[in-house]
Amino acid sequence: MPSSADFLEASGARIRLRALETIDVDTLFRWENDPAVWDAGSAHAPFSRRQLWDYVNSYDGDIFAARQLRLMIVRTDSDETIGTLDLFDFDPANSRCAVGIFITPEARGLGFAKEALRSAAYHLRRHLSIHQLYAIVGDDNTPSIALFRAAGFSDTAIIPDWIRRAGSYIPAHLFTLILKET
């Protein structure tokens, strides 16, 4: 059964996707504990280094067993880790999963996220036979909305009152991408 190790060769022109490693604990600690990005994801409290160490050491990169897969996004020119691509809510019966992506502030707007999404989509279809990716993005997250559109995702639906922000609710966009045979 393919696992995250299969993504070691997944690359675009400027990035590669690689498996989560213990060397990533301090990087994840910085990223996961930045309250500025909590609204875009599901975290609402800080993580300890110990929690992240345990997570990384017990991580199972088999998407079929764990129903999720976390890949690190690395620049090929500098070997710098600039983000993470998360596949979660994997539904093997319907061959689809959700995708989330984080890029460091200094690497945003340079096309790395789009390249990572496209590289992941290609390898998910080719090696894991996944048929569809989807993402749910808050209506106030203009950069992510632009990213998913630019990466070829369809803005399939608006979900009313989906995300709670400061005691009120905002709509969310449901983006979908059918992974076609290449």
Side-chain angles (χ1 to χ4, degrees):
M1 191 68 54
S3 71
S4 64
D6 296 320
F7 282 88
L8 292 174
E9 298 304 316
S11 64
R14 302 174 307 139
I15 60 98
R16 67 184 167 86
L17 302 174
R18 67 163 172 79
L20 184 63
E21 300 283 347
T22 55
I23 60 168
D24 297 315
V25 170
D26 286 337
T27 301
L28 291 174
F29 182 77
R30 277 192 324 276
W31 295 346
E32 297 284 354
N33 289 322
D34 181 358
V37 298
W38 287 353
D39 279 346
S42 59
H44 300 286
F47 289 94
S48 70
R49 272 193 176 80
R50 176 60 187 241
Q51 286 173 305
L52 292 168
W53 180 260
D54 290 345
Y55 167 72
V56 170
N57 280 300
S58 66
Y59 181 73
D60 181 356
D62 180 354
I63 194 170
F64 290 91
R67 302 289 194 254
Q68 65 180 358
L69 179 63
R70 175 168 271 194
L71 300 166
M72 305 306 285
I73 303 167
V74 180
R75 287 182 66 149
T76 55
D77 63 350
S78 65
D79 212 35
E80 175 189 9
T81 303
I82 59 167
T84 183
L85 188 134
D86 291 306
L87 301 164
F88 56 98
D89 291 340
F90 174 53
D91 177 353
N94 293 296
S95 192
R96 68 174 168 241
C97 66
V99 62
I101 192 162
F102 169 81
I103 298 290
T104 59
E106 49 279 358
R108 289 180 191 157
L110 302 174
F112 294 119
K114 182 170 126 180
E115 192 172 331
L117 285 169
R118 287 185 171 170
S119 182
Y122 172 79
H123 287 275
L124 289 167
R125 180 64 183 161
R126 182 163 186 205
H127 297 294
L128 300 177
S129 298
I130 291 177
H131 174 69
Q132 185 177 55
L133 289 177
Y134 69 92
I136 296 175
V137 179
D139 192 52
D140 59 351
N141 191 340
T142 306
S144 288
I145 290 169
L147 165 65
F148 283 102
R149 286 177 178 157
F153 283 69
S154 296
D155 198 341
T156 306
I158 301 291
I159 310 167
D161 290 353
W162 193 255
I163 298 171
R164 187 174 180 193
R165 296 254 200 274
S168 62
Y169 292 86
I170 65 166
H173 294 251
L174 170 63
F175 287 97
T176 58
L177 178 67
I178 303 300
L179 306 181
K180 297 182 170 73
E181 294 289 334
T182 57

